[in-house]
Amino acid sequence: MARATGLGSLAGLTMLAMGSCNLNMAPAVAQVSAVPVAKPALARQTNDFSLFGQQVQGGWLRGFAPTGTLSLALSGRPVEIEPDGSFFVAFDRDSGPSSELVARRGDLPTVRKVLVIAPRGWQIEHVNAPYRPSGMADAEFARRRAAELAQIGAARAQSTDAAGWRQPFAWPLRGAIRGRFGAQRVYQGKPGSYHGGLDIAGAEGTPFMAPADGVVVLAAATPFTLEGNLLILDHGSGLSSAFLHASRLGVRPGGHVRQGQVIGWVGRTGRATGPHLHWAIKWREAKLDPLLFVSPQP
Ligand SMILES: [Zn+2]
């Protein structure tokens, strides 16, 4: 595929430092103790958001809301907020240039923060061939697909107690990147749908791991027409990972998994030209770039 700007724009990512997470180091005291006593963190008092992450299309932010926040919204939609004031938000691949966070605090003044979402240079390949939707456009496919989409919808509607959204993510599989998130082909001027995940090469039967703690909300009992053996993990706060084309899954719906736990084995079930892991991440309906969740592979 033609290499466009792709990762080039990653160099310009804004990394926002965690602002008010000060560890208050207690002064040395004349006290003999074999085990250091953990000092409780000082209560945070702030009238601003503290944000960490990548404020770009397909990116995400973890943050702390201003002190006293009772409810939080992103561009008018409520956002879950934890008792400690932490929260997670993210920005779709095609997100507009800005969003607004609004924290309502009862008697305290409302805090508003405009988030500028940097555009990305997606990998676009122009193809001199007519656009042809994928095959299987028959009645049998339509019937099976409707049932599969209903299962996926029901899985995504679940909310769980998973807290993996708080963790730095780990690679589910180490391997060459065979397809980037967001890449798109344009057929004689007509855009096809873009690639919604990251393709990682792996031999058939290679185990892959949970990138963060999660709860299994879907583990296909039989291969789906397109996704094959599909696994969806909920990471909490609206964040989820999907893994496609597995040869076999190692977990069942409702199961809790830990980061690094083997959850399945690489395969080529469903619509896949060879064995690989397609890893997709969503926050609510927003499709996100998995490369923005992990550190570069060594
Ligand atoms: Zn893929």
Side-chain angles (χ1 to χ4, degrees):
M1 285 180 81
R3 267 292 177 85
T5 38
L7 266 197
S9 58
L10 283 179
L13 294 181
T14 333
M15 293 296 293
L16 301 165
M18 185 72 88
S20 21
C21 199
N22 304 320
L23 277 182
N24 262 59
M25 299 304 289
V29 289
Q31 181 189 348
V32 180
S33 168
V35 182
V37 178
K39 302 282 182 209
L42 291 184
R44 242 170 23 90
Q45 292 287 334
T46 168
N47 292 320
D48 199 0
F49 288 95
S50 162
L51 301 171
F52 173 84
Q54 319 217 21
Q55 220 168 289
V56 297
Q57 289 179 327
W60 54 270
L61 290 176
R62 288 188 197 103
F64 284 97
T67 304
T69 297
L70 300 176
S71 70
L72 183 65
L74 178 71
S75 298
R77 277 189 65 183
V79 171
E80 281 176 49
I81 178 166
E82 299 293 315
D84 66 356
S86 60
F87 65 90
F88 185 96
V89 293
F91 316 104
D92 186 69
R93 188 250 197 201
D94 297 323
S95 169
S98 70
S99 300
E100 190 185 33
L101 275 174
V102 178
R104 300 201 183 276
R105 308 193 291 167
D107 294 340
L108 291 169
T110 294
V111 180
R112 298 173 182 275
K113 187 173 187 73
V114 173
L115 306 174
V116 175
I117 314 303
R120 298 275 299 280
W122 301 112
Q123 181 181 318
I124 305 292
E125 186 186 10
H126 291 271
V127 179
N128 187 18
Y131 175 73
R132 276 181 306 141
S134 317
M136 291 200 282
D138 56 31
E140 168 63 8
F141 172 73
R143 187 188 61 75
R144 284 184 62 187
R145 195 62 190 148
E148 292 166 2
L149 291 175
Q151 273 195 68
I152 293 172
R156 292 199 174 281
Q158 293 181 46
S159 69
T160 72
D161 60 356
W165 63 274
R166 292 178 177 275
Q167 299 172 313
F169 276 37
W171 286 87
L173 172 73
R174 301 252 173 200
I177 303 306
R178 293 282 186 244
R180 291 186 188 284
F181 171 82
Q184 189 170 28
R185 284 188 173 149
V186 178
Y187 301 86
Q188 293 174 343
K190 183 177 169 55
S193 56
Y194 68 84
H195 189 227
L198 181 70
D199 287 343
I200 310 172
E204 176 100 21
T206 307
F208 61 89
M209 278 74 78
D213 293 356
V215 174
V216 180
V217 290
L218 196 155
T222 54
F224 282 26
T225 46
L226 305 182
E227 298 87 353
N229 288 315
L230 168 66
L231 172 61
I232 304 180
L233 285 186
D234 179 48
H235 300 299
S237 244
L239 188 66
S240 65
S241 282
F243 307 90
L244 279 64
H245 312 308
S247 58
R248 189 157 69 88
L249 301 178
V251 290
R252 291 182 186 283
H256 284 66
V257 301
R258 287 289 185 193
Q259 183 177 61
Q261 183 181 332
V262 171
I263 51 178
W265 288 266
V266 172
R268 51 174 302 172
T269 54
R271 187 176 295 165
T273 51
H276 71 280
L277 181 66
H278 173 111
W279 176 28
I281 303 185
K282 282 177 97 173
W283 181 68
R284 298 175 167 177
E285 301 84 33
K287 294 184 182 179
L288 311 179
D289 185 352
L291 273 184
L292 299 182
F293 281 76
V294 286
S295 0
Q297 295 189 72

